[in-house]
């Protein structure tokens, strides 16, 4: 068996948006499933941005040291019109979001068209375009690659129907992929073996899949040291 390394998941929801668990429970469940790091990235809009980041940054600051895995506080900018995504990403950063994800144009949950196009152009602000779906264009994937924005293969029901397209376009564009779970409770979390399967099911070769679940997350993690 090849060494798959430790699991890192950059897309998880807590009770601060529509997840079922408190951050401490997510961290423990992830630890048990072999994670070395997680990002908690709750859905935000104008109504809850402050509360989400107050809660997540407080958790990491006060409790982070007593937890054996690294927890990164972040947000998933969800359903905002493309023309205000940048403004909210900047606000999130100011309020302590270490990682910023944009909810992409998944086959399910129809965010506004143009969200993918906008997100990949926010260099240094957006880290991951989540589940960009079958709308992902080669041009946008090339921009993501240039701007160091990772594209996501999702294990979440519905979102994962876009994975084959995303993998194919990312390969053609030289864009980097991650496998994230978009977990809303502990049953959604994956082991490295499960993540490998998602990458293989998306049509990646074994070598590509291992890079996606092992090397790419390690590389992205360096941004948050
Ligand atoms: Zn959600
Ligand atoms: Zn999500």
């Amino acid at each position: 068996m090849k060494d798959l390394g430790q699991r890192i998941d950059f897309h998880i929801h807590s009770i601060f948006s529509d997840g079922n668990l408190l951050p401490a429970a997510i961290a423990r469940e992830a630890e048990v499933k072999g994670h070395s790091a997680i990002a908690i990235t709750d859905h935000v809009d104008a109504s809850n941005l402050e509360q989400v980041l107050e809660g997540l940054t407080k958790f990491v600051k006060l409790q982070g040291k007593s937890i054996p895995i690294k927890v990164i506080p972040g947000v998933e900018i969800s359903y905002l019109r493309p023309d205000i995504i940048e403004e909210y990403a900047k606000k999130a950063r100011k309020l302590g979001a270490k990682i910023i994800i944009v909810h992409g144009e998944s086959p399910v949950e129809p965010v506004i068209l143009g969200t993918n196009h906008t997100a990949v152009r926010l260099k240094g602000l957006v880290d991951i375009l989540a589940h960009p779906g079958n709308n992902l264009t080669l041009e946008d994937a090339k921009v993501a690659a240039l701007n160091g924005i990772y594209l996501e293969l999702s294990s979440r029901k519905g979102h994962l129907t876009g994975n084959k397209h995303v993998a194919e376009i990312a390969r053609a564009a030289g864009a980097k992929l991650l496998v994230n779970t978009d977990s809303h409770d502990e049953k959604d979390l994956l082991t490295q073996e499960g993540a490998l399967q998602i990458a293989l099911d998306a049509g990646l070769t074994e070598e590509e899949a291992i890079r996606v679940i092992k090397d790419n997350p390690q590389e992205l993690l360096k941004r948050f040291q």
Side-chain angles (χ1 to χ4, degrees), residues 153-155 160-165 167 179 193-205 209:
L153 300 176
S154 181
S155 62
L160 62 73
T161 58
N163 284 355
K164 280 206 167 98
H165 175 78
V179 172
E193 289 71 26
L196 180 69
Q197 195 55 51
I198 294 292
L200 294 172
D201 290 347
L204 298 184
T205 65

Side-chain angles (χ1 to χ4, degrees), residues 16 40 44 48-59 73-75 88 91-99:
F16 288 112
I40 301 178
V44 290
N48 72 338
L49 184 69
E50 282 83 4
Q51 290 95 314
V52 163
L53 285 167
E54 195 196 333
L56 293 179
T57 56
K58 190 192 271 182
F59 173 74
V75 294
Y88 278 86
K91 282 185 183 171
R93 193 67 90 198
K94 253 195 204 139
L95 290 165
K98 296 257 186 282
I99 182 168

Side-chain angles (χ1 to χ4, degrees), residues 11 13 41 43 76 78 103 130-131 156 159 182 184:
H11 187 165
H13 297 279
T41 52
H43 299 286
E76 180 181 19
S78 307
H103 182 118
H131 41 65
R156 191 159 181 79
H159 292 326
D182 207 342
H184 288 65

Side-chain angles (χ1 to χ4, degrees), residues 79-87 105 111-119 122:
Y79 291 86
L80 297 190
R81 316 279 326 175
D83 61 333
I84 59 168
I85 289 175
E86 181 172 7
E87 179 191 340
E105 295 171 29
V111 299
I112 297 105
L113 292 181
T115 298
N116 288 350
H117 185 84
T118 299
L122 297 177

